[in-house]
């Protein structure tokens, strides 16, 4: 199943800059692993915001939930999840 997920990150003020940089490094590694595994298919930054739009290809909503909650920045995010399906007028495979 394909899901579009908007993730807005709210920088935690209680963490030092060094702690937050370390957290972001772990987040980046996790995102890269998920991309290499084919689960996180697209990742786009939203210009001017600490936010992204991502496309996940997972077996079901439960797998997406498990992936999302495994992200180190998840406790500092608000998310919007949209299930996607193929449009009958799309010419792409």
């Amino acid at each position: 199943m394909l899901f579009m997920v908007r993730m807005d990150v709210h920088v935690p003020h209680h963490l030092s800059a060094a702690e937050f940089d370390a957290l972001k490094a772990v987040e980046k590694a996790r995102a890269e692993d998920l991309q290499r595994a084919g689960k996180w298919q697209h990742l786009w930054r939203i210009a001017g915001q600490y936010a992204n739009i991502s496309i996940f290809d997972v077996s079901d909503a439960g797998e997406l939930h498990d992936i999302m909650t495994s992200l180190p920045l998840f406790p500092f995010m608000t998310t919007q999840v949209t299930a996607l399906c193929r449009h009958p007028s799309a010419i792409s495979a």
Side-chain angles (χ1 to χ4, degrees), residues 14-43:
H14 67 279
L15 294 180
S16 70
E19 290 171 318
F20 191 54
D21 286 344
L23 189 60
K24 288 188 295 185
V26 176
E27 176 86 8
K28 181 179 179 180
R30 177 72 176 130
E32 289 173 352
D33 287 345
L34 289 164
Q35 289 173 75
R36 285 186 195 97
K39 297 295 181 179
W40 197 329
Q41 294 208 333
H42 298 280
L43 173 57

Side-chain angles (χ1 to χ4, degrees), residues 14-86:
H14 67 279
L15 294 180
S16 70
E19 290 171 318
F20 191 54
D21 286 344
L23 189 60
K24 288 188 295 185
V26 176
E27 176 86 8
K28 181 179 179 180
R30 177 72 176 130
E32 289 173 352
D33 287 345
L34 289 164
Q35 289 173 75
R36 285 186 195 97
K39 297 295 181 179
W40 197 329
Q41 294 208 333
H42 298 280
L43 173 57
W44 294 280
R45 176 178 286 157
I46 300 173
Q49 300 178 38
Y50 197 160
N52 73 72
I53 298 288
S54 296
I55 303 295
F56 289 87
D57 187 0
V58 293
S59 60
D60 55 29
E63 183 182 11
L64 178 64
H65 177 80
D66 291 344
I67 287 171
M68 295 294 300
T69 57
S70 77
L71 298 174
L73 289 175
F74 182 77
F76 311 112
M77 290 180 192
T78 55
T79 61
Q80 294 176 322
V81 177
T82 304
L84 303 174
C85 60
R86 182 170 166 72

